[in-house]
Amino acid sequence: MNLGGKADGKPLRVSTIAIDGPAASGKSTVGAWLAKSLGYLYFDTGVMYRAITWAALKRGMHIADEEAVTRLAEEVRIVVSRPTEDDGRQYTVLADGEDITWDIRKAEVDWAVSPVSAYPGVRKALTAQQRRIGQKGCVVMVGRDIGTVVMPEAHLKIYLTASAEERARRRHVEQIARGQESDYDEVLRDMKRRDRIDSRRETAPLRVAADAIVVDSTSMSIDSVLAHIKGLILDRFKMLADAGGPLVECQQGL
Ligand code: CDP
């Protein structure tokens, strides 16, 4: 994508983009595409919450044991890197050196991740790491609280949503394609439960930031969603350029 503008020879950028929304609303497809088009870092924060959840389950912890799960979140070393295998993954996720890229997509993680994510101590540990990445700029960050808590200063905030039925259908198709067992009714029920916990928790609940642009993709194809979002980026770029800024250098090594 050509964002074109220059001021005093320096690139003018919409440098921090926050994408939030409920489960399976297309955030990762849109986020990854956008990051690739712009040459930015794509960072999916859901991966971190999933990694802590997986590590807790693997150690046989009770998910209701807030103290133990929080301690774990402070200790486990999560590394998200470029793909190390050519097996359809968007990135590789390591927890204390172990490759858990596919494990974090299992049904037991789906089931336990929202209760884990509701613990304030877990959020505190992960939010600090996410902020550090966000502050370097040139990033598309995806999650539930990016525009509201992690990067409230983001240059562009998108809240991506779709009907629960459409989101469940997409997740169901995705799981089948991956060779996972999947029952549509179960996917729908579990997703609604997760959305409920994510929206009602006290710390950093899922909600639309006051300055976010809502995109409802229920009856849109992926191509039209991407075209629409490209338009939003170009508009925002023009708005920022007209206002005289921002001038941002990438520090993400891209
Ligand atoms: O891919 P999907 O939309 O199903 O979920 P995800 O983005 O991988 O996030 C999994 C879970 O992590 C969510 O249901 C939230 O409970 C939690 N999460 C969060 O609390 N805050 C974030 N910034 C990202 C994810």
Side-chain angles (χ1 to χ4, degrees), residues 23-24 27 45-46 49-50 105 113-114 117 123 143-145 171 194 198 201:
K27 300 182 300 290
T45 57
Y49 292 95
R50 286 176 177 273
R105 300 289 156 196
V113 67
S114 285
S117 307
R123 303 205 70 80
R144 301 290 186 287
D145 60 341
R171 181 55 46 96
R194 205 142 59 84
D198 291 347
R201 69 185 175 216

